[in-house]
């Protein structure tokens, strides 16, 4: 398999780092909040990750130059929506700067007034536990206050493209992963 190797010495092409990071497939989320001004903010993010089970903590990061950063910092809460495989259009909408990304969308009001999207695979309503500047992003750690989840196929982001997931059919894939997770909890 041909492999690229790049020394990150400040003269490298930033696309090389993006290429390497893109080898790590993720789900796709939309993260929303309601700023104290009442303005609804939201963006597509694949930096979401589980952090702690007890207490229940999750994390994600927002690029510092984002128009929605002041709103997320002031709100002190956010709602993370895990998108289903038929929601690439929602991902595109919330990844595109706009005065009102929610225009024409049916939303429900969540805890602290965060706008909640419908028909997603999971929702994590959080209060901001901590935010910290890290490089060109701000890291948000959230304490999860309420969850919702449903069955369905996830939207996947891999190598800069939307994909769908196919379960593997092999003895290794069907081994008892539940036991591993139970050991962590
Ligand atoms: C699949 C995907 C994942 C993304 N993940 C992030 C992310 O984790 N953090 C981030 O700041 N921007 C991320 N973006 C880019 C933002 O969605 C986009 O820049 C958005 O317009 C930022 O919101 P703003 O317009 O309010 O600044 C992602 C975009 C896509 C398509």
């Amino acid at each position: 398999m041909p492999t690229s190797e790049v020394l990150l010495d400040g003269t490298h092409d930033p696309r090389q780092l993006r290429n390497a990071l893109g080898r790590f497939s993720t789900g796709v989320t939309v993260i929303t909040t309601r700023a104290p001004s009442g303005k609804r903010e939201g963006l597509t993010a694949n930096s979401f990750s589980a952090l702690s089970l007890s207490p229940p903590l999750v994390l994600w990061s927002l690029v510092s130059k984002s128009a929605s950063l002041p709103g997320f910092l002031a709100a002190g809460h956010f709602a993370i929506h895990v998108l289903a495989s038929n929601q690439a259009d929602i991902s595109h909408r919330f990844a595109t700067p706009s005065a009102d990304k929610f225009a024409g969308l049916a939303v429900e009001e969540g805890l602290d007034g965060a706008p909640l999207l419908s028909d997603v695979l999971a929702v994590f309503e959080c209060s901001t536990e901590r935010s910290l500047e890290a490089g060109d992003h701000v890291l948000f750690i959230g304490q999860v206050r309420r969850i919702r989840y449903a069955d369905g196929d996830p939207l996947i982001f891999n190598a800069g493209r939307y994909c769908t997931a196919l379960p593997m059919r092999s003895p290794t894939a069907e081994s008892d992963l539940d036991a591993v997770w139970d050991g962590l909890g």
Side-chain angles (χ1 to χ4, degrees):
M1 198 187 335
T3 301
S4 302
E5 182 176 295
V6 180
L7 195 61
L8 300 191
D9 59 0
T11 67
H12 62 276
D13 180 347
R15 273 175 304 188
Q16 302 276 10
L17 177 56
R18 282 180 187 231
N19 288 347
L21 292 171
R23 264 52 182 180
F24 185 62
S25 304
T26 66
V28 180
T29 71
V30 168
I31 306 183
T32 64
T33 195
R34 184 180 292 274
S37 65
K39 185 170 189 298
R40 298 177 298 184
E41 304 281 9
L43 80 151
T44 300
N46 69 341
S47 52
F48 166 68
S49 182
L51 177 60
S52 163
L53 294 175
S54 180
L57 301 175
V58 294
L59 63 81
W60 64 286
S61 62
L62 177 58
V63 68
S64 308
K65 64 177 187 218
S66 165
S68 51
L69 177 62
F72 275 100
L73 287 174
H77 64 88
F78 51 83
I80 298 174
H81 306 79
V82 179
L83 299 187
S85 58
N86 63 353
Q87 293 182 310
D89 56 333
I90 297 285
S91 174
H92 183 64
R93 171 193 280 249
F94 281 92
T96 308
S98 143
D100 182 9
K101 296 180 182 176
F102 297 85
L105 268 190
V107 292
E108 208 184 302
E109 204 160 287
L111 301 174
D112 301 313
L116 301 186
L117 310 181
S118 45
D119 301 324
V120 296
L121 288 190
V123 182
F124 300 84
E125 290 179 79
C126 304
S127 47
T128 305
E129 168 89 6
R130 204 179 303 177
S131 63
L132 63 116
E133 286 178 34
D136 55 9
H137 279 62
V138 175
L139 177 69
F140 285 87
I141 295 175
Q143 166 115 25
V144 184
R145 294 168 60 200
R146 183 164 68 178
I147 57 173
R148 283 182 193 176
Y149 62 100
D151 290 337
D153 294 325
L155 183 61
I156 302 289
F157 196 62
N158 174 263
R161 299 185 56 170
Y162 295 117
C163 306
T164 53
L166 289 178
M168 287 173 71
R169 291 275 168 262
S170 74
T172 316
E174 286 160 24
S175 64
D176 195 2
L177 287 173
D178 277 348
V180 176
W181 282 104
D182 288 346
L184 293 176

